[in-house]
Amino acid sequence: MKPMNDLLSATGTTIFTVMSALAVQHGAINLGQGFPDYDGPPDVVKAAADALMDGRNQYPPLTGVPELRQAVAAANQRFYGIEVDPNAEVVVTSGATEAITAALMAVLNPGDECVLIEPLYDTYLPVVKLLGAVPKLVRLSPPKWELPRAELAAAFGPKTKAILFNTPMNPTGKVFTAAELAFIADLVQRHDCYAVCDEVYEHLTYDGWKHIPLMTLPGMRERCLRIGSAGKTFNLTGWKVGYVTCDRSLAPNVAKAHQNLTFTTAPNLQRAVAVGLAKDDAYFASLSGELAAKRDFLAAGLSELGFQVLPAQGSYFVTADIRSIGFTGDDVAFCRTLTEEAKVTAIPVTAFYAGENPPSHYARFAFCKNESVLREALGRISAWMAARKGTQREAG
């Protein structure tokens, strides 16, 4: 038989699937994949259940039900002062991953260059390549993950069509600063290109850090495709409801891409997310406050065990240096060993790099879990470390 698509055939199973399967196999606590182990707001869940029963279960509008498009527009105004036309500048998608794909499809042609910042979410690179575009990788380095301005500027050129970047950032927990965003905005305008902005963790920032959409910077309103996620904002990752906010000149292409990917998104879930986006400020404040407490609990516990834990200003994740506990293998070996022996699963940070020689001594732990689960995970890691020390002493 003739070979299938080369790129997809060469793409391995995602590390999240691999590690989650390994966690199930070994009865491990899964701090790898970034999903909460608790449900979303009861009123939002009830709104979805009620919406199933009122006879509106056929195809909703391609770009989203009016209630959700209006709620997305209102949230843009409420949180960031961005004025949005809900009828011409919002496209609802089946999750943020689809939103990213549709946004890239909307602007990239084969041969165009797209700037990507490592470490990066695992779907970014395959989608860019599937579209026939050329990825230009720029690397952030731990522990501070600062934007390397000279390298970023060098990645832009005459063929640059877009930059795709994520803030707050997975897996680093970095929130891009106003100065870094201004530098990116300047490059985008000078090279007359677009910015696809993965902002799914927009409400998950800590320690006084605030998310700044690139779209709010001068000259960027018409160049940005801003992506949000109900899954991350309302702890409902399985619903797969995302949304793209962009200028009316870009939205038709995003909608056409969406039409050819999933066409539309479950109407009851859309209407429930509209209820969620209208929740009062106290909800959004409590969301980040509760997650910050979980982050601090896990980070403090890992630190007490001897891990060097990097600061996390946003997202669901903390990153720990495995060398600091004397582990001599790489991050893949560590995460597999931790799962099999300690019964706790993390994700190797090398999974977020595509270039050569990535930092191979960091593991990512998700803290979006109940405190009792985090406590049990820390207890298992502590017992595993004690057993390893005992074995090493006997061997010595």
Side-chain angles (χ1 to χ4, degrees), residues 154-198:
F156 280 74
K159 294 184 179 180
T160 304
K161 180 64 75 66
I163 179 173
L164 166 58
F165 77 108
N166 173 213
T167 183
M169 192 180 192
N170 170 22
T172 68
K174 172 185 175 64
V175 176
F176 280 70
T177 67
E180 289 173 329
L181 292 172
F183 187 81
I184 293 171
D186 179 65
L187 287 171
V188 168
Q189 291 177 82
R190 281 199 284 123
H191 292 273
D192 189 25
C193 59
Y194 301 98
V196 178
C197 307
D198 179 355

Side-chain angles (χ1 to χ4, degrees), residues 234-257:
F234 302 107
N235 298 321
L236 295 164
T237 58
W239 282 19
K240 298 300 292 179
V241 178
Y243 19 87
V244 182
T245 301
C246 59
D247 187 74
R248 66 185 62 245
S249 63
L250 296 170
N253 262 20
V254 175
K256 291 170 191 173

Side-chain angles (χ1 to χ4, degrees), residues 33 73 83 106 120 137 141 150 178 181 215 234 259 284 289 329 339 385:
Q33 201 163 3
E83 292 188 11
L120 42 71
L137 298 173
S141 297
L181 292 172
M215 184 179 273
F234 302 107
Q259 176 182 347
F284 294 93
T339 299
M385 291 176 63

Side-chain angles (χ1 to χ4, degrees), residues 22-218:
L22 199 65
V24 171
Q25 179 184 341
H26 292 278
I29 294 173
N30 191 351
L31 302 186
Q33 201 163 3
F35 59 85
D37 61 355
Y38 44 88
D39 216 348
D43 57 338
V44 177
V45 175
K46 185 176 186 302
D50 291 345
L52 280 173
M53 304 303 295
D54 70 359
R56 290 190 283 172
N57 291 300
Q58 306 311 318
Y59 292 127
L62 165 67
T63 56
V65 299
E67 299 98 315
L68 181 51
R69 285 186 278 112
Q70 291 162 7
V72 171
N76 274 286
Q77 174 64 50
R78 171 185 174 189
F79 293 110
Y80 310 114
I82 304 172
E83 292 188 11
V84 175
D85 182 346
N87 297 316
E89 298 184 313
V90 176
V91 179
V92 178
T93 61
S94 295
T97 299
E98 193 218 334
I100 292 164
T101 302
L104 291 170
M105 289 174 68
V107 299
L108 292 178
N109 286 314
D112 287 341
E113 292 180 353
C114 182
V115 178
L116 303 173
I117 298 178
E118 292 185 304
L120 42 71
Y121 183 53
D122 65 341
T123 65
Y124 290 180
L125 192 62
V127 170
V128 169
K129 289 182 175 180
L130 281 168
L131 293 173
V134 179
K136 305 291 284 186
L137 298 173
V138 177
R139 179 172 295 185
L140 305 187
S141 297
K144 294 185 177 180
W145 310 109
E146 293 170 324
L147 189 68
R149 300 190 181 194
E151 290 90 336
L152 184 65
F156 280 74
K159 294 184 179 180
T160 304
K161 180 64 75 66
I163 179 173
L164 166 58
F165 77 108
N166 173 213
T167 183
M169 192 180 192
N170 170 22
T172 68
K174 172 185 175 64
V175 176
F176 280 70
T177 67
E180 289 173 329
L181 292 172
F183 187 81
I184 293 171
D186 179 65
L187 287 171
V188 168
Q189 291 177 82
R190 281 199 284 123
H191 292 273
D192 189 25
C193 59
Y194 301 98
V196 178
C197 307
D198 179 355
E199 303 179 14
V200 299
Y201 298 103
E202 60 184 320
H203 295 294
L204 310 184
T205 59
Y206 318 117
D207 305 330
W209 285 87
K210 297 295 181 184
H211 170 62
I212 303 170
L214 190 66
M215 184 179 273
T216 62
L217 272 64

Side-chain angles (χ1 to χ4, degrees), residues 333-353:
F334 172 81
C335 290
R336 181 171 288 275
T337 301
L338 193 72
T339 299
E340 294 173 350
E341 297 182 4
K343 312 300 183 188
V344 177
T345 297
I347 294 290
V349 171
T350 50
F352 298 89
Y353 287 85

